[in-house]
Amino acid sequence: MASGDTLLTFTPLANQPPASTYATFDTRNGHVVLDFDASADEVAVFGDVLPRHYAGGGVTVTLVWMATTATSGNVVWSVAIERDDTATDLDTDSFATANTATAAAPATSGAPAYTTIAFTNGAQMDSLAVGEAFRLKVQRTGSSGSDTATGDAELLAVEIKET
């Protein structure tokens, strides 16, 4: 049975950026954010261990973000999980297929939006098990024709909750 608990949270300072096409650090009124460009497919990567209190259900990833200037349009987010078990070669990325969500920019620049992306236990979570290390890849798919918000999307926090 799913616990409904928050399993992990990440702030921009926990980002482990890839070698290229990465979101960049910025601040907004003292809040550290990761800027994702509107015209590119930029990535942030976060790593941790799935906590022992995980009860084996699916997870919901919530992205807390703001738009730098946009007050309309959509942002397309994708999230993927990579299980780092003993059979994984960490010299090569092996993320499971990403799940996506299209979210409307808040009507007020600087107001946070909360975008949720659900994953079922098993293949969508790369068969991640309790106590295993993993990485979470967050991407703004700016090249998508559905991503219509101008300017940067600023990632403020990420929550992983068991659902």
Side-chain angles (χ1 to χ4, degrees), residues 2-126:
S3 68
D5 290 343
T6 294
L7 300 172
L8 298 159
T9 58
F10 300 111
T11 68
L13 295 175
N15 181 34
Q16 302 168 357
S20 62
T21 64
Y22 49 85
T24 55
F25 285 104
D26 198 359
T27 58
R28 182 165 189 160
N29 192 33
H31 297 277
V32 178
V33 296
L34 288 171
D35 284 345
F36 291 78
D37 291 344
S39 60
D41 294 349
E42 293 186 330
V43 174
V45 178
F46 304 94
D48 213 323
V49 173
L50 191 62
R52 298 286 174 186
H53 65 275
Y54 169 67
V59 298
T60 297
V61 175
T62 300
L63 306 175
V64 184
W65 63 280
M66 303 171 287
T68 298
T69 55
T71 56
S72 64
N74 294 319
V75 172
V76 177
W77 294 103
S78 68
V79 175
I81 297 171
E82 177 190 68
R83 176 184 183 198
D84 296 336
D85 66 343
T86 58
T88 301
D89 179 355
L90 298 182
D91 290 328
T92 306
D93 289 342
S94 62
F95 289 93
T97 302
N99 289 1
T100 63
T102 301
T108 301
S109 177
Y114 288 72
T115 301
T116 59
I117 301 175
F119 292 81
T120 57
N121 186 22
Q124 286 188 348
M125 293 176 53
D126 202 20

